[in-house]
Amino acid sequence: MSVRLVPYVSFPGNGREVLDYYTEIFGGSLNTASYTDFPMEGMPFTPPADALAHGHLDAGAVQLAGGDWICPENPADPLENNAYSFLLELDSTDEAEALIEKFTSTGSEVAMPFEKAPWGGHYGQVKDKFGVLWAFSVEG
């Protein structure tokens, strides 16, 4: 069986901005579609013209997809939430530190310094400017 996990995020109306930002951080290619790219006949709702219907970032090992949540009766939760984080496992501390620098130089904040962990590896966390927690791990 061949399977790949691609997290899907329902953005609170800023999906295009968030995915553009992650493309700036990770590189790769971003494909997006707005609702105006699809036939609206038969849709049970009228989405905002500029809403992101679907976006997919393919940056190799980092894959992320999502779209704007557009249900007015049940507004989207903000991205900032303590229930999840994205864990990035890197091969070296230099790679992790370079990626952390990319995040922090564009408005993210260190939530936990990247340093040697009790289990022998290195670990740290960054909360990006949208409130998403990214964890960085390098095995010992």
Side-chain angles (χ1 to χ4, degrees), residues 21-28 57 59 62 88 99 102-103 134:
Y21 175 68
Y22 294 153
T23 303
E24 179 184 333
I25 296 290
F26 297 110
L57 169 61
V62 175
L88 300 169
L99 197 51
K102 272 185 155 179
F103 272 98
W134 294 85

Side-chain angles (χ1 to χ4, degrees), residues 58-130:
D58 181 349
V62 175
Q63 303 269 324
L64 187 63
D68 287 332
W69 180 260
I70 56 169
C71 181
E73 302 84 37
N74 184 14
D77 291 328
L79 293 179
E80 186 168 358
N81 189 311
N82 293 330
Y84 75 96
S85 64
F86 293 120
L87 174 65
L88 300 169
E89 295 179 337
L90 296 110
D91 292 330
S92 72
T93 56
D94 288 343
E95 288 176 331
E97 288 167 348
L99 197 51
I100 290 167
E101 171 61 26
K102 272 185 155 179
F103 272 98
T104 57
S105 70
T106 58
S108 300
E109 296 181 5
V110 171
M112 178 184 290
F114 181 73
E115 53 192 31
K116 192 152 180 84
W119 56 87
H122 282 75
Y123 182 84
Q125 298 174 338
V126 168
K127 185 168 281 193
D128 74 25
K129 62 185 184 178
F130 300 102

Side-chain angles (χ1 to χ4, degrees), residues 4-44:
R4 178 176 56 191
L5 173 65
V6 180
Y8 191 94
V9 179
S10 292
F11 301 105
N14 62 345
R16 201 173 303 276
E17 178 187 6
V18 176
L19 289 175
D20 282 343
Y21 175 68
Y22 294 153
T23 303
E24 179 184 333
I25 296 290
F26 297 110
S29 62
L30 175 62
N31 294 306
T32 61
S34 66
Y35 284 96
T36 56
D37 296 326
F38 302 108
M40 296 307 294
E41 186 177 309
M43 283 276 217

